[in-house]
Amino acid sequence: MAVAIYTHPDCLAHDTGPGHAERPQRLSVVTDALRAAFPTRLDWREAPLASHPALLRVHAPTLLETVLETQPSQRVMLDPDTVLSPGSAQAALRAAGAAIAAVDAVLDDAPARAFCAVRPPGHHATAETAMGFCLFNSVAVAAAHALSAGVLQRVAIADFDVHHGNGSQAIFERDPRVLFASSHQMPLYPGTGDTDEHGVGNIVNAPLPALADGRQFRDAWRTRLLPALDAFAPQLLLVSAGFDAHRRDPLAQLQLEADDYAWLTRELVALAGRHGRGRVVSLLEGGYDLQALRECAVAHVGALLDA
Ligand SMILES: [Zn+2]
């Protein structure tokens, strides 16, 4: 079974500046590693631009103005972590557009699974605010797009980035059509994601302490997050695939190995097979060690291919 990979060179033009962890090389090492590991089995596709109406399903007009109309001649800091450069608007539109196109493709079962190799990441962006390296919340835009046709009633987001996806949670915490399930290190940026954050019964958080390893990570998914996803029975599964819980990552202290990501990906594909015809759309979120990113992206996409 082929897996579609949505990406675009415009995503490299989001220029965060010297020394910034969320740098263009992150994306080039992911796409280079995938081409080398799977030379014939991936279906490479060009990410289109997201439309304004698609972004406005989850974002306030003021955020579109900030990201799309500032048109900086040099880098502008939106907060201490989050940069807007001359190429950022186009990159953010490609990232969200990749997610939308991938949803449309898998809902047509052509193919059943897709990975969006994009940047900037998205899961910290709220309805109104770009933050934590994120401009638009691409996974939230994808979920809202999937529900917009009225055909699907239940879409889930599985988020295994080491940081809590506060933006995704905030956008959907009052929308019972979306289940948000997240493992993350706590305490850590952005500070949300405790077990008592339930939304309308559609938010499930599994915080992990610093130095938690793959066994604790798998336990959290096996006992808490996967059962909640199974009970919800999503017709489409979206994945916020951050690889910054790897032991090499410089921004956090979890101790995962690439094989932990392969394990969880196989579990998620099996779950999608039980409820959603195997349909999975995964998006690159964080991951800041280049060697770990290579290994983890290959493990993740390999499991999407072979599961
Ligand atoms: Zn992260």
Side-chain angles (χ1 to χ4, degrees):
M1 152 107 46
V3 167
I5 307 291
Y6 285 86
T7 191
H8 198 284
D10 285 354
C11 292
L12 299 169
H14 170 53
D15 176 10
T16 48
H20 198 290
E22 203 292 280
R23 55 212 192 273
Q25 296 94 311
R26 296 180 56 247
L27 182 55
S28 23
V29 300
V30 165
T31 52
D32 288 351
L34 294 177
R35 288 183 198 282
F38 311 108
T40 61
R41 299 174 67 201
L42 297 174
D43 178 357
W44 290 84
R45 300 182 182 188
E46 188 163 287
L49 298 168
S51 71
H52 291 207
L55 297 169
L56 288 167
R57 289 193 188 105
V58 303
H59 287 304
T62 50
L63 181 61
L64 270 66
E65 280 173 32
T66 299
V67 175
L68 303 179
E69 290 170 28
T70 301
Q71 299 185 333
S73 56
Q74 54 190 349
R75 283 187 296 274
V76 173
M77 302 302 291
L78 299 179
D79 71 16
D81 303 316
T82 312
V83 178
L84 200 64
S85 72
S88 297
Q90 201 77 353
L93 288 171
R94 294 290 181 192
I100 291 167
V103 163
D104 286 339
V106 306
L107 291 181
D108 284 343
D109 294 317
R113 293 191 277 282
F115 178 69
C116 300
V118 292
R119 61 184 284 280
H123 72 156
H124 294 308
T126 67
E128 297 177 332
T129 307
M131 60 181 279
F133 310 164
C134 302
L135 299 177
F136 295 135
N137 192 318
S138 300
V139 77
V141 169
H145 174 75
L147 290 163
S148 67
V151 177
L152 302 185
Q153 291 80 45
R154 296 179 310 283
V155 173
I157 300 171
D159 185 330
F160 56 72
D161 189 280
V162 81
H163 304 93
H164 181 243
N166 61 297
S168 307
Q169 174 172 304
I171 286 167
F172 293 117
E173 64 190 350
R174 286 178 294 280
D175 186 343
R177 300 173 302 169
V178 178
L179 183 85
F180 176 74
S182 173
S183 63
H184 43 274
Q185 181 178 327
M186 195 172 195
L188 190 68
Y189 183 90
T192 50
D194 217 337
T195 51
D196 62 358
E197 296 165 21
H198 298 298
V200 290
N202 64 329
I203 305 295
V204 190
N205 286 312
L208 295 165
L211 302 180
D213 61 8
R215 185 186 58 79
Q216 289 159 283
F217 173 83
R218 294 185 194 206
D219 277 353
W221 281 92
R222 198 184 282 119
T223 62
R224 182 169 176 83
L225 300 172
L226 291 168
L229 285 163
D230 249 326
F232 183 73
Q235 294 158 304
L236 171 67
L237 181 61
L238 306 179
V239 181
S240 272
F243 299 110
D244 39 10
H246 190 276
R247 63 182 171 78
R248 290 181 56 92
D249 197 272
L251 297 194
Q253 291 80 40
L254 295 194
Q255 301 292 317
L256 298 199
E257 306 278 354
D259 190 53
D260 295 309
Y261 292 105
W263 171 83
L264 179 56
T265 306
R266 288 192 297 269
E267 293 288 326
L268 292 172
V269 169
L271 189 139
R274 292 194 286 280
H275 306 292
R277 297 167 60 177
R279 298 183 290 210
V280 178
V281 171
S282 176
L283 288 74
L284 180 65
E285 297 277 5
Y288 303 99
D289 178 83
L290 299 182
Q291 181 182 324
L293 256 182
R294 272 185 208 101
E295 293 174 13
C296 295
V298 168
H300 177 60
V301 171
L304 290 177
L305 275 165
D306 295 333

